[in-house]
Amino acid sequence: MRQAPLPVRDGLGPARVRLYGGAVLTELAARFGAPARAKVLAGEVVTADGMVVDDTTVLPAGASVYLYRDLPDEVPVPFAIDVLHQDADIVVIDKPHFLATMPRGRHVAQTALVRLRRELALPELSPAHRLDRLTAGVLLFTTRRELRGRYQTLFARGEVRKTYIAQAAADPGRVLPLVVRNRIVKRRGHLQAVVEPGVPNAETLVESLSPVGLYRLTPRTGRTHQLRVHMASLGLPIVGDPLYPNIVDVAEDDFSSPLRLLAQRIEFDDPVSGSRRQFISRREEGWI
């Protein structure tokens, strides 16, 4: 991946805008309004090669420019990030509920990535995988750009064993363990992922840990909202889930009912040292 021509600033990298072609000032003003026009005139927009864009710059369709975005107003997430492990290559955290992994949509500064870059002074920090904003637990970051691909590949190839703990209703008639296997599709613009007919692309082992509704979930694939969809499909929606089986409107500043889903453990062979790594969340005790 090509390095951005502007450095990370205050924990956040520059935004990349792919152009339709023509006068850059005119296009950015039309697409993003007066603030984007002001950034061009102030010399705050650059091309992929680092050239400063001005009011005479014309670029072809498909070219990209970079600029620092104006941060939206965000509700602070009132929970600390617990660092489980840090060395020269990786940082492993115990992510709290309600904190997104990385900037997306209305969550920018209030994300694990931006907060950690600021707190640890690691501008090249990058997530090797993601957890849903509402899911808590073990999350791994790489500290340097050249390491990112090696760790991300582990997750992409399914070479990381991930174990989750979930709380849901007790179902004495349900025979466990069982494997849930089906096809999950998440479409842009839709809050919920759905199960559709077709070749299965999602698989989860579901085991009972107690008769009062505590479950261990071992995903063998990594589809969006997979564990939440699979538990809801069994008639056992995870406690505190505002999406499955039904969408519930929750205020942005309401942190009173966290999703009872915890990424409890990850295990893998480190691609740099070759050693076996295991990281376990500290949030389980007293959480469920």
Side-chain angles (χ1 to χ4, degrees), residues 89 128 140 142 144-157 159-160 268-274:
D89 298 330
L140 185 147
T142 58
R144 303 190 306 282
R145 184 177 296 106
E146 63 268 21
L147 296 173
R148 180 172 51 194
R150 300 177 71 176
Y151 286 90
Q152 287 179 338
T153 298
L154 290 180
F155 287 90
R157 291 179 177 173
E159 296 174 2
V160 178
F268 59 93
D269 292 325
D270 193 288
V272 176
S273 68

Side-chain angles (χ1 to χ4, degrees), residues 15-91:
R16 177 189 178 194
V17 179
R18 189 179 295 274
L19 301 172
Y20 303 139
V24 176
L25 176 61
T26 301
E27 179 177 338
L28 293 183
R31 291 171 62 180
F32 306 113
R37 176 185 175 84
K39 288 181 184 295
V40 172
L41 296 177
E44 298 176 1
V45 181
V46 303
T47 67
D49 295 326
M51 181 188 75
V52 176
V53 171
D54 62 24
D55 58 350
T56 66
T57 303
V58 175
L59 293 174
S64 296
V65 293
Y66 294 78
L67 67 158
Y68 294 111
R69 73 196 83 179
D70 293 324
L71 298 185
D73 292 331
E74 297 181 63
V75 176
V77 177
F79 306 113
I81 299 175
D82 183 13
V83 176
L84 297 173
H85 173 85
Q86 181 177 353
D87 60 34
D89 298 330
I90 62 174
V91 174

Side-chain angles (χ1 to χ4, degrees), residues 44-184:
E44 298 176 1
V45 181
V46 303
T47 67
D49 295 326
M51 181 188 75
V52 176
V53 171
D54 62 24
D55 58 350
T56 66
T57 303
V58 175
L59 293 174
S64 296
V65 293
Y66 294 78
L67 67 158
Y68 294 111
R69 73 196 83 179
D70 293 324
L71 298 185
D73 292 331
E74 297 181 63
V75 176
V77 177
F79 306 113
I81 299 175
D82 183 13
V83 176
L84 297 173
H85 173 85
Q86 181 177 353
D87 60 34
D89 298 330
I90 62 174
V91 174
V92 183
I93 68 166
D94 217 350
K95 187 183 82 67
H97 296 285
F98 302 105
L99 192 66
T101 296
M102 59 190 298
R104 184 177 182 183
R106 64 181 183 274
H107 304 110
V108 181
Q110 290 299 309
T111 59
L113 176 62
V114 174
R115 280 175 52 170
L116 283 170
R117 281 177 171 175
R118 293 173 175 178
E119 293 171 12
L120 302 179
L122 292 173
E124 293 187 7
L125 196 74
S126 181
H129 62 122
R130 300 185 190 185
L131 291 178
D132 288 346
R133 187 178 71 90
L134 299 183
T135 302
V138 182
L139 182 61
L140 185 147
F141 293 79
T142 58
T143 60
R144 303 190 306 282
R145 184 177 296 106
E146 63 268 21
L147 296 173
R148 180 172 51 194
R150 300 177 71 176
Y151 286 90
Q152 287 179 338
T153 298
L154 290 180
F155 287 90
R157 291 179 177 173
E159 296 174 2
V160 178
R161 178 178 173 81
K162 296 178 285 186
T163 305
Y164 292 73
I165 302 295
Q167 186 180 28
D171 184 359
R174 175 72 61 180
V175 177
L176 297 175
L178 64 80
V179 175
V180 182
R181 183 185 298 109
N182 52 26
R183 182 171 185 81
I184 294 178

